[in-house]
Amino acid sequence: MTTYFPTIGLEIHAELNTVTKMFCNSKNDPDAEPNTNICPVCMAHPGTLPTINFEAVKHVIKVGHAVGGTIADFTEFDRKNYFYPDIPKGYQISQYEHPLVSGGALHDVELTRIHLEEDTAKSTHDQGDYSLVDFNRAGVPLMELVTEPVITSGEQAAAFAKELQLLLRYLGAGEANMEKGQMRVEANISVSADKDVFGTKVEVKNLNSFRSVEGAIACEIERHTKALESGGEEIIQETRGWDEQKQTTFSQRQKEGSADYRYFPEPDLPKIWISRVPEFQPDKITKEMPELPWERRERYATSYDLDTQTSDIFVQSLPWAAYFEAVIKEIGEDPKQQKLAVNYITSDFIGLMKKDENVPYFAEVDPARFIDPIHFAKVIEMAAEQKLSSRGAKDLLATLYREGGDPEEIAEKEGLLQKSNEGDLAQIVSDVVVENPDEAESYKQGNEKVLQFLVGQGMKKSKGSANPQVLKELFEKELAA
Ligand code: ADP
Ligand code: MG
């Protein structure tokens, strides 16, 4: 049987988070009322001139630092000429020969380049026999990242895109929400029977979820492999789309060569020598770099002994990570309480919030919904000291989440405090024995299973506030004779 080798390279566009657009002073807010964030520059009125948004340049430099790429010393913008209704100037300002960043690697995938360009306007074609164009998005700073052809599966491609999204969020460079079109993935796919020779490459455009990245690539690999196996349908170099409903790709158009774009340096913008701009100096950038996703992953694994799955819950979500750290700060060094806190956050608190809020984007949960970390830490302390049963702790968290308030007062008021006091519990135990004479007798005769039932009755009587371990011991003592 022949082995087939799939090869994938990604081109990912991500909108950057800046106050204004890439080359003018219009607000960078594509979601506003259509055609309100526009000006003569981004509408390409004659006689207007663009200017470079340094905030956007800085974001890309930071991404470059994070991935260990080479930041260009000399960089410039180029015109990429093509006609389309969503591109007012008749060209897009992009970068060609001198991208801001070259090389580097992310998630074990080597990168070719990262450059800066401007987004296009947004066309809508579903309003009858005409099209609508919203220019709010025209000129929004757009980062394009190109990987080397080194990815081998749809899963790996989706994992890469997720890591890039995370990096952009950590850097504050962008939200990169795929469903909102803030990050868009194009996948180049080829399959070959010869490891050293690439097969014909096909490009799948407009993938707008991690699931479709994975699905489209898997689908293409299968199509190519089948073609190679049977010598049937010929694979031609083309652009394809992804049909989410049918879970299959379809032919869109034959790809234009890059020469068609007649790239040339943008004459209306100055060149940039990065080393001459004080705020782009490496020491300055380093100082502004936050902890990166992989650094945080490593720290959580070593400091709190978290397994990958658990630590990723926090690493994947900045608000949850901040919350976790705030709770840990209250708790201090006690590893047992830290462990408890992790469990109660990941299995109980997140569960509560998901159920209640139907949080659409886990990563974007509103921090205002969090239980005060001081209160959360108090609950953990009470649970660690056995003042609360695990049931009691869960109930207390639910109340704190829904209504707020002071954990100790609520625990007191709702009778959640665990009774470990043997005097208090002795009465309950003797009542249970009196009310359940058959079971008590059965236990005395050696049926140990019935003890669980008796403890259960005792728990019920105490309204869940008894410490089951203490109850169990009291029953054993009471019925030992
Ligand atoms: P083009 O000139 O057609 O745009 P590029 O060389 O610029 O091609 O590469 C575009 C993307 O395609 C890159 O992400 C690159 O890794 C990927 N790529 C190039 N060749 C292949 C191939 N044979 N199979 C899969 N991906 C490829
Ligand atoms: Mg290309």
Side-chain angles (χ1 to χ4, degrees):
M1 220 184 77
T2 326
T3 313
Y4 294 101
F5 301 95
T7 302
I8 297 127
L10 300 176
E11 293 166 279
I12 304 185
H13 286 93
E15 286 174 357
L16 297 176
N17 185 11
T18 54
V19 178
T20 54
K21 290 187 183 180
M22 188 62 231
F23 299 113
C24 66
N25 277 335
S26 290
K27 221 168 134 198
N28 173 3
D29 179 13
D31 294 334
E33 178 80 8
N35 297 312
T36 52
N37 291 323
I38 55 174
C39 74
V41 179
C42 56
M43 293 304 285
H45 289 195
T48 58
L49 285 172
T51 47
I52 299 171
N53 183 339
F54 271 26
E55 197 187 359
V57 177
K58 198 167 192 178
H59 283 319
V60 176
I61 291 177
K62 284 184 179 172
V63 175
H65 267 262
V67 300
T70 305
I71 314 296
D73 186 17
F74 172 81
T75 190
E76 67 179 353
F77 289 92
D78 296 274
R79 287 189 185 178
K80 180 181 181 178
N81 297 279
Y82 65 101
F83 176 78
Y84 207 70
D86 66 12
I87 179 155
K89 292 190 288 288
Y91 57 86
Q92 176 194 33
I93 304 180
S94 179
Q95 295 196 281
Y96 191 55
E97 294 266 12
H98 299 280
L100 250 173
V101 179
S102 306
L106 176 69
H107 223 46
D108 291 331
V109 171
E110 285 105 40
L111 309 181
T112 311
R113 56 186 275 156
I114 310 172
H115 72 247
L116 199 45
E117 56 190 34
E118 56 180 337
D119 209 345
T120 59
K122 208 167 158 180
S123 317
T124 310
H125 306 294
D126 56 5
Q127 308 266 327
D129 58 356
Y130 53 88
S131 291
L132 294 171
V133 187
D134 173 9
F135 288 92
N136 283 346
R137 205 181 68 174
V140 162
L142 199 61
M143 179 190 99
E144 178 174 345
L145 177 150
V146 182
T147 78
E148 289 289 292
V150 290
I151 296 169
T152 57
S153 72
E155 269 171 23
Q156 193 194 356
F160 174 87
K162 265 187 206 160
E163 191 74 352
L164 177 61
Q165 178 189 65
L166 212 50
L167 174 62
L168 292 170
R169 289 180 176 179
Y170 272 56
L171 291 173
E175 265 312 301
N177 188 324
M178 289 195 75
E179 281 73 18
K180 288 189 190 162
Q182 294 164 336
M183 182 163 100
R184 313 186 285 268
V185 175
E186 290 162 38
N188 299 270
I189 303 137
S190 67
V191 177
S192 171
D194 182 345
K195 207 157 129 296
D196 301 317
V197 182
F198 284 140
T200 303
K201 152 185 104 156
V202 159
E203 176 189 53
V204 185
K205 269 201 184 294
N206 296 324
L207 299 170
N208 50 19
S209 72
F210 296 115
R211 224 165 8 95
S212 57
V213 170
E214 201 173 323
I217 291 172
C219 171
E220 273 304 296
I221 291 176
E222 197 187 316
R223 191 175 70 86
H224 289 224
T225 306
K226 274 195 184 140
L228 289 174
E229 268 171 350
S230 68
E233 178 197 8
E234 201 197 336
I235 300 297
I236 47 170
Q237 183 162 338
E238 64 179 343
T239 299
R240 295 175 75 85
W242 171 241
D243 187 326
E244 183 75 44
Q245 248 77 53
K246 294 193 193 136
Q247 293 284 299
T248 138
T249 63
F250 58 91
S251 177
Q252 278 184 323
R253 63 184 150 89
Q254 312 267 324
K255 197 176 169 24
E256 303 125 73
S258 58
D260 292 349
Y261 293 125
R262 292 170 294 126
Y263 278 103
F264 64 87
E266 167 61 69
D268 289 342
L269 286 172
K271 319 285 175 196
I272 308 175
W273 278 266
I274 298 289
S275 63
R276 297 184 197 169
V277 183
E279 58 182 297
F280 295 160
Q281 294 316 295
D283 55 331
K284 196 132 195 192
I285 297 286
T286 311
K287 245 185 247 149
E288 289 178 21
M289 293 292 279
E291 183 178 39
L292 298 170
W294 46 93
E295 292 167 348
R296 178 165 291 176
R297 209 172 273 134
E298 176 72 25
R299 179 165 67 84
Y300 283 177
T302 51
S303 311
Y304 306 114
D305 188 31
L306 302 185
D307 60 67
T308 327
Q309 212 188 340
T310 309
S311 96
D312 246 36
I313 291 177
F314 299 126
V315 173
Q316 296 288 338
S317 163
L318 286 172
W320 279 109
Y323 187 68
F324 167 65
E325 305 222 2
V327 169
I328 291 291
K329 194 166 153 235
E330 289 305 319
I331 282 176
E333 291 296 302
D334 184 342
K336 185 181 153 206
Q337 287 197 30
Q338 290 182 346
K339 200 100 210 161
L340 263 184
V342 169
N343 288 341
Y344 278 114
I345 293 176
T346 55
S347 48
D348 298 292
F349 190 20
I350 289 180
L352 265 177
M353 207 179 273
K354 273 191 180 158
K355 207 164 59 190
D356 228 45
E357 302 287 307
N358 207 356
V359 185
Y361 303 109
F362 172 68
E364 293 169 15
V365 54
D366 178 2
R369 306 295 305 180
F370 288 131
I371 297 171
D372 183 333
I374 297 175
H375 291 164
F376 198 96
K378 190 75 206 170
V379 175
I380 299 304
E381 184 193 306
M382 289 161 79
E385 290 172 352
Q386 306 275 313
K387 289 183 187 156
L388 289 169
S389 66
S390 63
R391 178 74 261 153
K394 285 176 211 289
D395 290 349
L396 182 51
L397 285 178
T399 308
L400 284 172
Y401 171 59
R402 302 214 166 92
E403 293 156 29
D406 179 76
E408 283 173 305
E409 275 170 24
I410 296 169
E412 182 81 41
K413 199 176 77 201
E414 299 196 351
L416 297 172
L417 288 173
Q418 192 153 246
K419 294 201 178 82
S420 303
N421 181 322
E422 299 201 4
D424 289 350
L425 297 184
Q427 189 59 44
I428 290 179
V429 167
S430 60
D431 287 353
V432 170
V433 169
V434 169
E435 287 162 23
N436 300 277
D438 293 350
E439 284 78 3
E441 189 52 34
S442 169
Y443 177 77
K444 280 190 193 168
Q445 298 301 325
N447 182 1
E448 297 203 358
K449 273 193 261 169
V450 86
L451 185 59
Q452 201 46 48
F453 168 79
L454 294 170
V455 172
Q457 294 304 110
M459 289 303 290
K460 226 190 231 170
K461 243 188 208 316
S462 76
K463 297 201 181 79
S465 69
N467 179 331
Q469 190 54 36
V470 177
L471 263 187
K472 183 163 165 267
E473 283 159 19
L474 285 174
F475 274 114
E476 282 168 348
K477 241 194 269 172
E478 174 93 6
L479 299 171

